CSV table of all heavy atoms in Angstrom, one decimal:
chain,number,residue,atom,x,y,z
A,170,TYR,N,-2.4,-16.6,8.5
A,170,TYR,CA,-2.7,-16.4,7.1
A,170,TYR,C,-1.8,-15.4,6.5
A,170,TYR,O,-1.3,-15.6,5.3
A,170,TYR,CB,-4.1,-16.1,6.8
A,170,TYR,CG,-5.0,-17.2,7.1
A,170,TYR,CD1,-6.2,-17.0,7.6
A,170,TYR,CD2,-4.8,-18.5,6.4
A,170,TYR,CE1,-7.3,-18.0,7.8
A,170,TYR,CE2,-5.8,-19.5,6.5
A,170,TYR,CZ,-7.0,-19.2,7.2
A,170,TYR,OH,-7.9,-20.2,7.4
A,171,GLY,N,-1.6,-14.3,7.1
A,171,GLY,CA,-0.8,-13.3,6.6
A,171,GLY,C,-0.7,-12.0,7.4
A,171,GLY,O,-1.4,-11.9,8.5
A,172,VAL,N,0.1,-11.1,7.1
A,172,VAL,CA,0.3,-9.9,7.8
A,172,VAL,C,0.1,-8.7,6.9
A,172,VAL,O,0.8,-8.7,5.8
A,172,VAL,CB,1.7,-9.8,8.6
A,172,VAL,CG1,1.9,-8.6,9.3
A,172,VAL,CG2,1.8,-11.0,9.4
A,173,GLY,N,-0.7,-7.7,7.3
A,173,GLY,CA,-0.7,-6.5,6.6
A,173,GLY,C,-0.1,-5.4,7.3
A,173,GLY,O,0.8,-5.6,8.1
A,174,SER,N,-0.2,-4.2,6.6
A,174,SER,CA,0.6,-3.1,7.3
A,174,SER,C,0.2,-2.7,8.7
A,174,SER,O,0.9,-2.1,9.4
A,174,SER,CB,0.6,-1.9,6.3
A,174,SER,OG,-0.7,-1.6,5.9
A,176,SER,N,-2.1,-5.1,10.5
A,176,SER,CA,-2.9,-6.2,11.1
A,176,SER,C,-2.2,-7.5,10.8
A,176,SER,O,-1.4,-7.7,10.0
A,176,SER,CB,-4.3,-6.1,10.5
A,176,SER,OG,-4.2,-6.2,9.1
A,178,VAL,N,-3.6,-11.6,10.3
A,178,VAL,CA,-4.8,-12.4,10.0
A,178,VAL,C,-4.5,-13.9,10.4
A,178,VAL,O,-3.5,-14.5,9.8
A,178,VAL,CB,-5.3,-12.3,8.6
A,178,VAL,CG1,-6.5,-13.1,8.4
A,178,VAL,CG2,-5.6,-10.9,8.2
A,191,ALA,N,-11.2,-16.4,9.4
A,191,ALA,CA,-9.9,-15.6,9.3
A,191,ALA,C,-10.1,-14.4,10.2
A,191,ALA,O,-10.8,-13.5,9.9
A,191,ALA,CB,-9.6,-15.2,7.8
A,193,LYS,N,-9.0,-11.1,11.8
A,193,LYS,CA,-8.1,-10.0,11.4
A,193,LYS,C,-7.9,-9.3,12.7
A,193,LYS,O,-8.8,-8.7,13.3
A,193,LYS,CB,-8.7,-9.1,10.3
A,193,LYS,CG,-7.8,-8.0,9.9
A,193,LYS,CD,-8.3,-7.4,8.5
A,193,LYS,CE,-7.5,-6.2,8.2
A,193,LYS,NZ,-7.6,-5.9,6.8
A,208,TYR,N,-9.0,4.1,7.7
A,208,TYR,CA,-8.9,2.9,6.9
A,208,TYR,C,-9.7,1.7,7.4
A,208,TYR,O,-10.4,1.0,6.7
A,208,TYR,CB,-7.4,2.7,6.7
A,208,TYR,CG,-6.9,1.7,5.8
A,208,TYR,CD1,-6.6,2.1,4.5
A,208,TYR,CD2,-6.5,0.4,6.2
A,208,TYR,CE1,-6.0,1.1,3.6
A,208,TYR,CE2,-6.1,-0.5,5.4
A,208,TYR,CZ,-5.8,-0.2,4.1
A,208,TYR,OH,-5.2,-1.1,3.3
A,242,GLU,N,-14.6,-14.4,6.4
A,242,GLU,CA,-14.6,-15.6,5.7
A,242,GLU,C,-13.2,-16.1,5.5
A,242,GLU,O,-12.4,-15.4,5.0
A,242,GLU,CB,-15.4,-15.4,4.4
A,242,GLU,CG,-15.6,-16.6,3.6
A,242,GLU,CD,-16.5,-16.2,2.4
A,242,GLU,OE1,-16.8,-15.0,2.2
A,242,GLU,OE2,-16.8,-17.0,1.6
A,244,CYS,N,-10.1,-17.9,3.8
A,244,CYS,CA,-9.7,-18.4,2.4
A,244,CYS,C,-8.5,-19.3,2.5
A,244,CYS,O,-7.4,-18.7,2.6
A,244,CYS,CB,-9.4,-17.2,1.4
A,244,CYS,SG,-11.0,-16.5,0.9
A,248,GLU,N,-3.3,-16.4,-1.1
A,248,GLU,CA,-3.4,-15.5,-2.1
A,248,GLU,C,-3.1,-15.9,-3.5
A,248,GLU,O,-2.3,-16.9,-3.7
A,248,GLU,CB,-2.3,-14.3,-1.8
A,248,GLU,CG,-2.4,-13.7,-0.5
A,248,GLU,CD,-1.2,-12.8,-0.1
A,248,GLU,OE1,-0.3,-12.5,-1.0
A,248,GLU,OE2,-1.1,-12.2,1.0
A,292,ASN,N,-4.4,-9.3,-3.1
A,292,ASN,CA,-5.7,-9.0,-2.6
A,292,ASN,C,-6.7,-9.9,-3.2
A,292,ASN,O,-7.9,-9.7,-2.9
A,292,ASN,CB,-6.0,-7.5,-2.7
A,292,ASN,CG,-5.3,-6.7,-1.7
A,292,ASN,OD1,-4.7,-7.2,-0.7
A,292,ASN,ND2,-5.1,-5.4,-2.1
A,294,LEU,N,-8.0,-13.4,-2.9
A,294,LEU,CA,-7.7,-14.6,-2.1
A,294,LEU,C,-8.4,-15.8,-2.7
A,294,LEU,O,-9.4,-15.7,-3.4
A,294,LEU,CB,-8.2,-14.4,-0.7
A,294,LEU,CG,-7.6,-13.3,0.0
A,294,LEU,CD1,-8.1,-13.1,1.5
A,294,LEU,CD2,-6.0,-13.3,0.1
A,305,ASP,N,-9.5,-6.8,1.2
A,305,ASP,CA,-8.7,-5.5,1.4
A,305,ASP,C,-9.6,-4.4,0.9
A,305,ASP,O,-9.2,-3.8,-0.2
A,305,ASP,CB,-7.4,-5.6,0.9
A,305,ASP,CG,-6.5,-4.5,1.5
A,305,ASP,OD1,-7.1,-3.7,2.3
A,305,ASP,OD2,-5.3,-4.4,1.1
B,76,ATP,N1,-10.1,-13.9,4.8
B,76,ATP,C1,-8.9,-14.2,4.7
B,76,ATP,N2,-8.6,-15.5,4.6
B,76,ATP,C2,-7.3,-16.0,4.4
B,76,ATP,N3,-6.2,-15.2,4.4
B,76,ATP,C3,-6.5,-13.8,4.6
B,76,ATP,C4,-7.8,-13.3,4.7
B,76,ATP,N4,-7.7,-12.0,4.8
B,76,ATP,C5,-6.4,-11.7,4.7
B,76,ATP,N5,-5.7,-12.8,4.6
B,76,ATP,C6,-4.2,-12.8,4.6
B,76,ATP,O1,-3.7,-12.0,5.5
B,76,ATP,C7,-2.8,-10.9,4.9
B,76,ATP,C8,-3.0,-9.7,5.6
B,76,ATP,O2,-4.3,-9.2,5.4
B,76,ATP,P1,-4.7,-7.7,5.7
B,76,ATP,O3,-6.0,-7.5,5.2
B,76,ATP,O4,-4.4,-7.5,7.2
B,76,ATP,O5,-3.6,-6.8,5.0
B,76,ATP,P2,-3.3,-6.6,3.4
B,76,ATP,O6,-4.3,-7.0,2.6
B,76,ATP,O7,-2.0,-7.3,3.2
B,76,ATP,O8,-3.2,-5.1,3.4
B,76,ATP,P3,-2.4,-3.9,3.8
B,76,ATP,O9,-1.0,-4.2,4.0
B,76,ATP,O10,-2.7,-3.1,2.6
B,76,ATP,O11,-3.1,-3.4,5.0
B,76,ATP,C9,-3.3,-10.9,3.5
B,76,ATP,O12,-2.3,-10.5,2.6
B,76,ATP,C10,-3.8,-12.3,3.1
B,76,ATP,O13,-2.6,-13.1,2.8
Side-chain angles (χ1 to χ4, degrees):
Y170 283 136
V172 177
S174 42
S176 55
V178 180
K193 182 159 173 165
Y208 189 85
E242 182 176 2
C244 283
E248 299 172 7
N292 286 337
L294 303 183
D305 199 358

